[in-house]
Amino acid sequence: MINRLLVANRGEIARRVFATCRRLGIETVAVHSDADVGLPFVREADAAVRLPGTSPTETYLDAALVLEAARRTGADAIHPGYGFLSENAAFARAVLDAGLTWVGPAPESIEQMGSKVESKKLMEAAGVPVLGNLTPDTATEADLPLLVKASAGGGGRGMRVVRALADLPDEIDRAAAEAESAFGDGTVFVEPYVERGRHVEVQVVGDGEGQVLVLGERDCSLQRRHQKVVEESPAPELSAETAHALHEAARKAGEAIRYRGAGTVEFLYDPQTGRFWFLEMNTRLQVEHPVTELVHGVDLVEMQIQVAEGAGVPELASLAARAPGGHAIEVRLYAEDPARDWQPQSGTLTAFDVPGVSVEFAVLDRAGLGRAGLRLDAGFEAGSEVSTHYDAMLAKVIAWAPTRTQAARRLAGALAGARLHGPATNRDLLVSVLRDPAFLAGRVSTSFLVDRTFDQPGEGPSRAAATAAALALAERSRASRTVQRGIPVAWRNVLSQPQRIELEAPDGSRSTVEWLGGRDGYAVDDFVVVAVTADSVTLEADGVRTTYDVAVAGDAVDVDSPRGHVRLTRVPRFTDPADAVASGSLLAPMPGTVVTVAVEAGAHVEAGQPVLVLEAMKMQHTVSAPHAGVVTEIDVKPGDQVAAGEVMAVVSTGSTTEDSSTTRDSSTTEGGSTTDESEEA
């Protein structure tokens, strides 16, 4: 029996495992890096051990430190979560050699399925259909497009789509370097890329004796940069015959290696032909496991613990006795900006609230829900700091309902009404996807987000939102005055001119709001000002009243209303000369580490040519020249840490060495362009 369990992970998955442990009466231990000390999972554990440092390599990937933490706290079991050491056979053996219980599959199974090259051979022998492997020597034009994948990694990191054979060697090198950095193994392989296939996976739980329980399938086709964004169960528009064939193929895969514990067998499904092929087996709990839990009424973490304690398939089946029902959809809420090529974001979450949550980290009581329910698995809370050292996922929001359409509507409504202040998120894109007619019709594929353009449901830098922000700022200023408190700003016996404020939206567009303050309050053009406080403004236009909630943090002003969320920034009236940068400056788009500097000072570059590579949040970002010219400055070298907005290099145009200056603001194009490389949690 497990009495005290250490989770060798962080954030949302650590909290998820802790929730089941609390219900089962198992004590919990957290390990944390210096960057994570303030996150909720550290506070919620019964004991917590610091792993000195911030990078994954010196903290969560250091097996010796994790085992020492288990020894110091008296933990008798280790759960690896997902990512980090979860599919590291050497770590699993070290846990067992230390006399601890490993809540995961046998090390031999991890090794068998850990190499995507060798696992394909094993699956082919077991009668599971697989895609062929190619090499730069055997690939031909007829095989294009191709997919380069990391053998030891998971969906995203170390992955490249190649559309020209001439690009294949360089893409293999880049994928190998990223895989080595992320997993400590730079082995990659090449296979044909099915352009509009679907990513369908099957949840299995084995007892290690050759018996495998199958718990339905999930569709994870909606991806960006080969990372899953929306997942659901059961898979839409999938015939019963195809679903059954997938389930049986997954069962064969699990039986072939006498799998133990929870695992996922992933397939590529071609809806045009009805064929499917084995991609890989993830020998761990998947990020998207909640959709299976809500549809089948099971706790997969409890099942993992039961297997680790010696339970067989009959006992596991008793935990899954309830018949599956309804539909569940999960979205991954990321701190990233889809409008800027999915660029990861960092900073303080000044507000984090999702309305209507039924449960957190738990199975829904479907009988008591009525028509739909909402689950939240979050790694952060209001006040948490989103660092640049780890994955950018903030939370998973999951809706269950009797039908797929109801689940999508429930989830979209909750996301649209959420208060998410601080770093930019992909919330608006998720709402657009969930309300998209093609998605609602089940027409999903791995190219869904590439093929379609989505309007953001938020109101953008609208006149109404900007007006609400300006009046709330004015009210705050009025309330903070030590003299004439209570008198509207700019009140005079004889009005001379309006007050004015300029606000900037994330896309760089600006709005100027003018207002007059008199004995009767505020007056603005286009609206009737019904009510104003420092936190709320009600405006009326064409007889329709709308209330805007306003939150201020420094120069940032967040405006929430039924029309969506807008984040504005107050533009200073006067610019500090110290904020001026040379024209052609390449500014760091986010805090990170310089990985590569591709050019030298004095080099001639073309527009779009890579100048350097920055790594942040487990991703590599290529910073390119904004225009053709000469590299007049290189201010960084590989290994340097840079802050957001820091000048890294300067590309000057013309023959003169004298650069003109431009004021640094969020609308400048001097930062160069960035390309985000793939990654996954």
Side-chain angles (χ1 to χ4, degrees):
M1 296 292 291
I2 294 172
N3 295 302
R4 180 174 295 172
L5 183 144
L6 180 149
V7 177
N9 219 293
R10 63 182 295 275
E12 163 266 327
I13 186 56
R15 298 185 76 193
R16 166 68 189 91
V17 177
F18 291 164
T20 292
C21 287
R22 282 193 297 271
R23 184 171 59 80
L24 298 179
I26 298 173
E27 294 181 9
T28 57
V29 178
V31 290
H32 66 88
S33 69
D34 292 335
D36 285 343
V37 65
L39 293 188
F41 81 97
V42 179
R43 181 180 67 248
E44 292 174 359
D46 294 312
V49 179
R50 174 185 175 236
L51 305 178
T54 55
S55 73
T57 302
E58 61 188 350
T59 55
Y60 299 106
L61 288 173
D62 192 322
L65 284 181
V66 174
L67 288 171
E68 174 60 16
R71 185 196 65 78
R72 289 166 56 190
T73 57
D76 55 10
I78 290 182
H79 190 300
Y82 51 72
F84 294 133
L85 295 168
S86 63
E87 294 178 284
N88 187 309
F91 178 62
R93 283 199 178 90
V95 171
L96 295 171
D97 290 344
L100 306 176
T101 298
W102 168 247
V103 185
E108 293 76 19
S109 295
I110 297 175
E111 287 175 333
Q112 287 173 307
M113 306 309 275
S115 167
K116 293 182 177 61
V117 175
E118 296 304 316
S119 65
K120 282 189 174 183
K121 296 177 182 178
L122 186 62
M123 291 298 98
E124 189 172 21
V128 179
V130 300
L131 282 170
N133 288 326
L134 300 170
T135 69
D137 294 329
T138 60
T140 67
E141 293 285 344
D143 296 316
L144 294 172
L146 301 171
L147 187 63
V148 182
K149 297 180 70 175
S151 178
R157 295 191 298 278
M159 186 179 290
R160 300 287 191 285
V161 175
V162 180
R163 302 187 183 279
L165 286 180
D167 297 336
L168 185 56
D170 286 343
E171 294 295 349
I172 288 176
D173 289 343
R174 295 181 67 193
E178 192 169 75
E180 178 68 35
S181 173
F183 313 113
D185 183 349
T187 305
V188 298
F189 65 98
V190 182
E191 66 185 15
Y193 179 55
V194 180
E195 284 277 12
R196 287 170 177 79
R198 287 175 56 183
H199 184 129
V200 182
E201 60 190 31
V202 179
Q203 177 71 57
V204 298
V205 185
D207 62 6
E209 301 297 327
Q211 296 189 78
V212 175
L213 179 68
V214 175
L215 292 170
E217 81 285 346
R218 301 183 286 254
D219 189 291
C220 307
S221 300
L222 266 69
Q223 304 175 8
R224 55 94 176 100
R225 293 195 310 264
H226 310 293
Q227 163 130 17
K228 302 163 188 174
V229 178
V230 180
E231 302 108 343
E232 57 183 308
S233 182
E237 300 299 308
L238 194 68
S239 70
E241 294 77 12
T242 300
H244 177 73
L246 285 163
H247 297 175
E248 290 307 304
R251 191 189 308 277
K252 285 182 183 179
E255 291 173 345
I257 61 173
R258 301 177 70 83
Y259 190 75
R260 185 183 72 198
T264 297
V265 187
E266 301 194 349
F267 298 94
L268 179 63
Y269 170 61
D270 184 354
Q272 301 299 318
T273 64
R275 299 178 63 194
F276 61 85
W277 302 271
F278 170 83
L279 286 176
E280 62 182 314
M281 183 174 186
N282 288 308
T283 53
R284 54 170 169 82
L285 197 66
Q286 288 281 86
V287 177
E288 56 273 18
H289 75 274
V291 294
T292 295
E293 293 186 323
L294 298 191
V295 168
H296 288 261
V298 298
D299 184 332
L300 286 170
V301 174
E302 181 180 1
M303 284 188 164
Q304 288 184 297
I305 292 172
Q306 293 270 36
V307 172
E309 292 180 332
V313 162
E315 293 166 274
L316 299 175
S318 69
L319 295 175
R322 185 167 63 174
H327 200 97
I329 304 175
E330 170 183 297
V331 294
R332 301 189 189 187
L333 186 63
Y334 283 100
E336 65 183 14
D337 190 348
R340 298 186 179 182
D341 200 21
W342 312 95
Q343 187 181 106
Q345 305 291 300
S346 61
T348 302
L349 278 171
T350 54
F352 187 86
D353 176 57
V354 180
V357 171
S358 308
V359 296
E360 295 187 39
F361 305 104
V363 177
L364 288 166
D365 177 12
R366 299 202 304 245
L369 276 178
R371 300 303 296 169
L374 197 70
R375 167 172 162 175
L376 176 67
D377 287 15
F380 296 82
E381 61 188 3
S384 294
E385 187 73 18
V386 182
S387 77
T388 62
H389 303 288
Y390 314 108
D391 186 79
M393 188 173 74
L394 301 175
K396 302 179 306 196
V397 190
I398 314 101
W400 176 90
T403 70
R404 183 173 184 267
T405 300
Q406 290 171 335
R409 181 170 59 193
R410 178 73 180 88
L411 188 52
L415 289 170
R419 294 179 70 248
L420 306 171
H421 301 166
T425 72
N426 64 337
R427 180 260 303 273
D428 287 350
L429 175 79
L430 295 173
V431 173
S432 292
V433 168
L434 292 168
R435 291 173 173 170
D436 183 79
F439 174 81
L440 293 174
R443 297 196 299 271
V444 296
S445 74
T446 54
S447 63
F448 189 90
L449 295 180
V450 176
D451 294 341
R452 302 180 66 79
T453 300
F454 295 96
D455 294 329
Q456 299 299 305
E459 61 180 330
S462 73
R463 172 74 175 165
T467 299
L471 296 184
L473 287 171
E475 187 67 9
R476 282 173 176 264
S477 176
R478 180 192 66 79
S480 66
R481 293 202 306 272
T482 57
V483 295
Q484 294 184 325
R485 181 172 296 172
I487 299 176
V489 174
W491 180 85
R492 293 179 175 86
N493 285 323
V494 179
L495 294 177
S496 60
Q497 60 184 4
Q499 294 292 297
R500 180 181 294 107
I501 189 172
E502 188 173 20
L503 298 158
E504 183 175 81
D507 63 1
S509 60
R510 295 187 176 185
S511 301
T512 300
V513 180
E514 295 184 340
W515 75 92
L516 293 170
R519 294 180 184 275
D520 298 324
Y522 297 94
V524 297
D525 292 337
D526 304 327
F527 302 101
V528 175
V529 182
V530 179
V532 178
T533 70
D535 304 310
S536 178
V537 176
T538 300
L539 302 175
E540 182 177 306
D542 296 327
V544 178
R545 292 186 178 186
T546 304
T547 297
Y548 298 82
D549 295 324
V550 183
V552 180
D555 288 333
V557 187
D558 289 278
V559 183
D560 291 285
S561 74
R563 300 179 183 179
H565 167 260
V566 182
R567 184 170 178 83
L568 300 168
T569 303
R570 184 171 185 168
V571 179
R573 293 182 62 188
F574 305 103
T575 303
D576 189 337
D579 288 336
V581 296
S583 176
S585 294
L586 274 63
L587 309 180
M590 69 203 75
T593 303
V594 177
V595 177
T596 304
V597 177
V599 298
E600 297 179 348
H604 290 263
V605 293
E606 298 299 323
Q609 180 177 335
V611 176
L612 52 86
V613 176
L614 187 68
E615 185 171 88
M617 291 183 172
K618 300 196 301 183
M619 297 166 48
Q620 292 190 350
H621 312 269
T622 301
V623 180
S624 305
H627 48 243
V630 177
V631 180
T632 55
E633 292 182 30
I634 293 288
D635 299 324
V636 294
K637 62 182 182 301
D640 283 357
Q641 298 285 327
V642 295
E646 183 175 334
V647 177
M648 299 183 292
V650 178
V651 178
S652 317
T653 57
S655 56
T656 177
T657 58
E658 241 178 74
D659 293 324
S660 60
S661 291
T662 182
T663 299
R664 183 190 309 177
D665 57 38
S666 59
S667 65
T668 182
T669 59
E670 302 304 329
S673 61
T674 64
T675 302
D676 295 346
E677 307 301 349
S678 57
E679 57 85 29
E680 184 174 34

